[in-house]
């Protein structure tokens, strides 16, 4: 059995310097940060990830939730999902985020899982998690058996001929609708990445899921100041009521002025290869009366480019209904 080393870096600089020696920050990285471990340790048990060195970042001072000078929120990378979902400012001003996190996993998992770890959780595609099978994401160039195989839970938006894996995160869908920014510190300094640019489409490099480079440590996530009067809903549809990933989900943040939608931010989960912001649905809604017919039109627009596989065509109508219903709940 392959062994690994485990160390606790004294500070962020030491963690970054050590991780920067890795060949990649993506699939197969030989040095990995360890946060809650609920993704990484799982994948190590399955031998899908086999790092030589784990850097435990749990003692770094990255576990605070603070209000920013601009009225927004700063969420540390190691803030636990439970603490974030139940924080009074999140419940009050960013309800869609609280709802999305609480719709995911289980209470025990949320107590361990962290903000950064959630951003970097891996797909639940069954072939990715089975080292006896080929998989372009796990071993580039070996093929994608999901395209002709078991793909009921996989993506219909943003797919390529090399990978159709769904991004499984609920939290990231809410962050997309809230237009969050992800803050990264690396060996070349720090940078801020809008959520929309953080995850990559699979294209012909499905093993590369994010813009992270070796040594890059996510330090925190920021949310813009809350939009006064916005109505927020996260709706998740799945095979069972709890402890299950989304088949389709929708995060909506809308403002209704008079009869009309004056602002809309919409993202979908369970259907995209990355957390799926839908400018098409937003454009279809803004300026229109907030009614069932227009919610349906927005949902049609959101799924216009969807590409079904052999077993997941049902997701297209499911996602439409999910979004239309979420909009109705928000507008109520
Ligand atoms: C049974 C089960 C059910 C689940 N159900 C759901 C669900 O319904 N919805 C949902 O959204 N999620 C679900 N999850 C996933 C869960 O939310 C993630 O496993 C969790 O959020 C990962 O966080 P973590 O802190 O444990 O990450 P870890 O496992 O510690 O890390 C994950 C990855 O992130 C990297 N990393 C961690 N912190 C940083 C950092 N600061 N900078 C750079 N890289 C970093 C690690 O190196 C690793 O590659 C489920 C998980 C399980 C096991
Ligand atoms: S969909 Fe992606 S993760 Fe799943 S088998 Fe194909 S390449 Fe691998």
């Amino acid at each position: 059995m392959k062994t690994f080393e485990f160390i606790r870096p004294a500070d962020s600089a030491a963690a970054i310097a050590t991780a920067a020696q890795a060949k990649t920050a993506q699939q197969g990285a030989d040095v990995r940060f360890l946060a809650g471990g609920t993704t990484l340790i799982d994948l190590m048990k399955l031998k899908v990830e086999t790092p030589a060195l784990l850097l435990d970042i749990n003692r770094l001072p990255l576990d605070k939730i603070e209000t920013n000078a601009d009225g927004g929120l700063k969420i540390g990378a190691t803030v636990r999902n439970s603490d974030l979902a139940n924080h009074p400012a999140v419940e009050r001003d960013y309800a869609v985020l609280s709802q999305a996190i609480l719709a995911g996993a289980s209470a025990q998992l949320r107590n361990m899982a962290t903000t950064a770890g959630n951003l970097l959780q891996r797909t639940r595609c069954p072939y990715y998690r089975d080292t006896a099978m080929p998989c372009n994401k796990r071993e580039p160039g070996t093929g994608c058996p999901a395209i002709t195989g078991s793909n009921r839970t996989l993506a219909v938006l943003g797919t390529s001929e090399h990978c159709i894996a769904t991004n499984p995160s609920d939290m990231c869908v809410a962050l997309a609708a809230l237009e969050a920014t992800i803050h990264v510190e690396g060996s070349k300094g720090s940078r801020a990445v809008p959520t929309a640019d953080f995850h990559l489409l699979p294209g012909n490099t499905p093993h590369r899921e994010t813009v992270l480079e070796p040594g890059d440590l996510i330090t925190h996530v920021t949310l813009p100041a809350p939009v006064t009067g916005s109505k927020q809903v996260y709706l998740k549809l799945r095979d069972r009521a709890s402890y299950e990933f989304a088949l389709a989900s929708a995060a909506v943040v809308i403002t209704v002025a008079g009869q009309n939608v004056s602002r809309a931010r919409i993202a979908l989960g369970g259907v995209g290869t990355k957390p799926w912001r839908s400018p098409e649905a937003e454009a279809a809604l803004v300026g229109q009366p907030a009614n069932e017919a227009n919610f349906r039109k927005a949902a049609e627009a959101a799924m216009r480019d969807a590409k079904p596989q052999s077993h997941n065509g049902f997701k297209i109508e499911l996602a439409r209904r999910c979004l239309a219903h979420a909009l109705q709940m928000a507008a109520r």
Side-chain angles (χ1 to χ4, degrees), residues 25 31-42 49 57 62 77-78 80-81 100-101 103-106 109 112-122 124 129 168-172 212 216-219 236 238 243-246:
V31 184
R32 284 266 182 216
F33 298 123
L34 177 69
T38 62
T39 286
L40 184 57
I41 302 295
D42 240 18
E49 287 281 11
I57 58 168
L62 302 172
T78 59
R80 305 290 151 178
N81 286 181
I101 292 172
S106 65
L109 283 159
M112 286 302 292
T114 62
T115 308
N118 198 322
L119 280 163
L120 295 170
Q121 66 172 286
R122 311 302 303 278
R124 310 305 285 196
R129 295 170 68 84
S169 173
D170 292 297
M171 182 193 82
C172 291
L212 293 185
D216 279 350
L217 176 73
I218 297 174
T219 52
K236 176 175 179 180
R238 46 191 156 168
Y243 206 42
E244 186 55 276
F245 291 89

Side-chain angles (χ1 to χ4, degrees), residues 60-125:
L60 301 182
L62 302 172
D63 59 348
K64 303 271 181 306
I65 301 177
E66 296 159 297
T67 306
N68 269 336
D70 65 0
L73 213 61
K74 177 179 176 188
I75 304 159
T78 59
V79 168
R80 305 290 151 178
N81 286 181
S82 309
D83 293 335
L84 182 56
N86 296 311
H87 191 277
V90 177
E91 287 179 326
R92 184 186 62 235
D93 298 328
Y94 306 99
V96 68
L97 178 58
S98 181
Q99 292 167 26
I101 292 172
L102 294 176
S106 65
Q108 291 89 339
L109 283 159
R110 295 193 295 268
N111 286 341
M112 286 302 292
T114 62
T115 308
N118 198 322
L119 280 163
L120 295 170
Q121 66 172 286
R122 311 302 303 278
T123 183
R124 310 305 285 196
C125 173

Side-chain angles (χ1 to χ4, degrees), residues 123 125-129 134-138 143-147 154 162-166 202 206 209:
T123 183
C125 173
Y127 302 102
Y128 169 72
R129 295 170 68 84
C135 166
N136 283 330
K137 190 181 280 297
R138 183 168 29 77
C144 175
I147 289 175
L154 301 187
H162 302 286
C163 182
I164 57 168
T166 322
E209 291 188 347

Side-chain angles (χ1 to χ4, degrees), residues 274-286:
K274 60 185 251 181
W276 202 261
R277 173 94 180 260
S278 179
E280 297 86 357
E282 294 169 8
L285 265 187
V286 172

